[in-house]
Amino acid sequence: MAVLDLVPHAHIVVVDFEFHFGGHASKEEAGRSGERPRPVCMVAKELRTGEVWRLSGDQFGRSPPFPHGDDTLLVAHYASAELGVYRALGWPQPRFVLDTFTEFRARTNGLAQAAGLIDAAAYFGIDAMESLAKKAMVTLILRGPPWSEQEPADFLYYCESDVLTLERIFLAMLPRIDLPHALLRGRFMKAAAAVEWHGIPIDVTTLALLRKHWAGIQDDLIAAIDSDYGVFDGRTFRESRWRDWLIAHGIPWPTLESGRLALDDDTFRQMAKAYPEVSPMRELRSALSEMRLSDLSVGADGRNRTILSAFRAKTARCQPSNTKCIFGPSVWLRGMIKPAEGWGVAYLDFSQQEFAIGAWLSGDEAMQAAYRSGDPYLAFAKQAGLVPADATKKSHGDIRELCKQCVLGTQYGMEARTLALRIGQLELVARRLLRAHHETYPKFWRWADDMVDRAMLGFPLLTVFGWPVHSGRDPNPRSMQNFGCQANGNEMLRLATILGTEAGIEVCALVHDAVLIAAPLDQLDHDIERMRAAMITASRLVIGFELRVDVYVVRYPDRYRDSNGRGDVMWARVMELVAAREAAAARELEVAYG
């Protein structure tokens, strides 16, 4: 049997576009432009007949020149890019998409294998354009016009070489492709193209002011916040002074094997949860070290756009750039999200998603009952005998918080020492909490331990929709233990995104276990209910149970703020500093010009 007979579609079309984002000096600038793609050229090949189509310049029509009906399978490498150009051209979206990027990631996930077109070609021993030559050509295309008389012809030749390479990669991969699951992943890449196309609404006026004054504001923030700590020397954070402050306030702090303090942002984030007085310093350090506001990708239409980097994580989670996406930097900066006049946005997230996934996929009835209670943290405390049966969040909030941190920590393989630091208790207390969790939910732990055993024996782990992770040479038991909850959670979010975008809902962003949508105010409540229904349906299809979905709504002229108030103090402080600097600048102008 010919390998193409494995595909039931009448037509198989391999396609590749070259595009730019409106003309920029370099690939790096183009990547953070926030603009929508503009097509330069396209090459497509129908694999059953061998027919080839080449388009460039003004040759693009209102629909593809090749077969594009329900009997066609479209093949591309990182298909959301191609399908974004479809949107720019006004072409109808294909029904069936197979993305060789996602399938190559699935084939090599966990084996430290890059997944670009050249990487996949090298894996299968296929000749392809040299990496340096390819990079130079991409940079030239992304720079945008004007181009020389010869360059458009060079672009078309380059595009066709990619199509021919892609054809060979597809044929090499096809015998081992799980087609139904591959088509589901391709369907998500269509949804990803829609999310990238819409983008997140940004208050560009405030962003411009923040960019204008950011260098000076950083010094103001140090002066304002460090007055309570005394750990900065100019703009330099002094570890010895931080150690002295910790000792003075009786706060234990994680250390490295060398004995030095662990000063990474993850440690600061975890410690800020246990010791709120650490939070301002964490926000300050994050603002000074991570935030490059010029990198934030905001287009001329005021939308923050960047590639979702779908399927990049081992769990297949999207990994958009932390510097280009508004949800990447410190949480306070999300105040920059603001719907346009007449619009609103809504943030919908699965309630305790990973807890529920572990409960239902493991078949742990006690854990399921805890989720159904509406407060799994208090339910765990009751089931473990740590509080009386009539306890409430108000009457036993302190113990509930300990149990909450224990439940959340077990989802990431947290051990007793780290949990003790997180909850500000002796390690003995943390050990007892972890033991109580094991004893209360034994089926869950057998399920989680079984995944570790399978991985250690060299078997791949699979989600309910077939996304695999291979253990590789040096598997991490904690990541393998967490894979079932996290990766199936990502399956759930992808399916919800598919259902939402295909229903015409404007999904703007994916954030861990949540989506951000936008709609005109007279349509917002309707779209919220439709998106909620899509998420509930997705949860039922993944684990057989309908999860709760929490909703946070922002209507113009309000701006986004984190639902639990994280970042509010920092946002207010920064806006006060911006206003003060604007007022000072105005006074200088008044003096200068009388």
Side-chain angles (χ1 to χ4, degrees), residues 97-420:
V97 176
L98 190 146
D99 190 333
T100 53
F101 167 83
T102 68
E103 299 320 295
F104 187 67
R105 281 284 296 122
R107 184 166 182 154
T108 60
N109 187 32
L111 302 179
Q113 175 70 47
L117 189 69
I118 292 177
D119 304 305
Y123 182 90
F124 291 108
I126 296 169
D127 292 333
M129 179 179 287
E130 292 293 332
S131 179
L132 290 177
K134 184 176 177 69
K135 183 176 181 180
M137 188 63 72
V138 169
T139 300
L140 183 59
I141 294 169
L142 286 176
R143 187 198 66 194
W147 293 302
S148 71
E149 184 176 347
Q150 177 60 37
E151 283 170 344
D154 293 340
F155 299 158
L156 202 58
Y157 173 79
Y158 160 66
C159 187
E160 184 165 359
S161 71
D162 272 0
V163 166
L164 297 177
T165 299
L166 178 54
E167 174 188 9
R168 296 179 66 189
I169 291 172
F170 170 68
L171 295 176
M173 294 178 64
L174 185 54
R176 287 181 52 185
I177 287 177
D178 179 352
L179 195 58
H181 288 146
L183 294 180
L184 180 61
R185 290 188 277 266
R187 194 174 163 192
F188 172 73
M189 295 304 273
K190 282 196 296 181
V195 176
E196 293 171 355
W197 179 263
H198 295 312
I200 305 165
I202 298 295
D203 179 356
V204 292
T205 301
T206 302
L207 176 60
L209 288 173
L210 193 53
R211 283 172 167 170
K212 174 183 175 182
H213 297 294
W214 184 237
I217 286 174
Q218 292 180 77
D219 292 326
D220 294 342
L221 285 172
I222 292 174
I225 296 175
D226 193 47
S227 61
D228 294 329
Y229 299 89
V231 299
F232 273 85
D233 181 3
R235 286 196 177 186
T236 302
F237 179 90
R238 295 298 184 188
E239 179 182 347
S240 60
R241 296 182 184 179
W242 182 241
R243 187 187 297 272
D244 291 342
W245 184 88
L246 293 171
I247 293 172
H249 290 78
I251 298 177
W253 196 267
T255 57
L256 306 174
E257 291 184 5
S258 64
R260 298 188 61 179
L261 299 177
L263 299 178
D264 58 283
D265 186 62
D266 185 61
T267 297
F268 265 89
R269 181 172 60 252
Q270 298 298 338
M271 294 302 293
K273 293 177 180 178
Y275 301 95
E277 58 268 43
V278 170
S279 185
M281 182 55 64
R282 187 252 167 172
E283 291 284 2
L284 175 60
R285 281 173 49 85
S286 179
L288 296 177
S289 65
E290 296 178 6
M291 287 180 52
R292 296 184 295 275
L293 294 176
S294 60
D295 286 354
L296 200 63
S297 303
V298 181
D301 62 353
R303 292 292 184 113
N304 173 217
R305 295 186 185 87
T306 188
I307 186 173
L308 286 182
S309 293
F311 295 94
R312 291 287 185 180
K314 288 183 180 180
T315 59
R317 172 173 285 172
C318 296
Q319 290 185 325
S321 168
N322 282 335
T323 58
K324 297 177 184 178
C325 177
I326 191 69
F327 282 99
S330 297
V331 67
W332 68 266
L333 196 64
R334 297 175 190 178
M336 211 65 67
I337 300 172
K338 184 177 180 179
E341 185 174 358
W343 282 66
V345 297
Y347 184 91
L348 299 93
D349 68 322
F350 289 107
S351 177
Q352 289 99 26
Q353 183 197 50
E354 290 185 17
F355 185 93
I357 289 171
W360 266 268
L361 293 187
S362 68
D364 194 305
E365 294 87 353
M367 206 169 177
Q368 293 172 10
Y371 183 84
R372 285 194 177 100
S373 74
D375 187 342
Y377 313 127
L378 185 61
F380 165 50
K382 293 178 180 179
Q383 291 168 330
L386 302 175
V387 298
D390 60 352
T392 64
K393 183 177 179 179
K394 183 177 181 179
S395 66
H396 291 77
D398 53 346
I399 298 179
R400 177 190 177 276
E401 182 60 27
L402 295 180
C403 290
K404 176 181 178 179
Q405 297 306 321
C406 175
V407 168
L408 295 176
T410 57
Q411 292 172 181
Y412 296 91
M414 188 177 290
E415 296 178 348
R417 183 171 181 270
T418 306
L419 179 59

Side-chain angles (χ1 to χ4, degrees), residues 60-72:
F60 296 99
R62 295 185 176 181
S63 63
F66 45 79
H68 58 277
D70 289 352
D71 60 350
T72 298

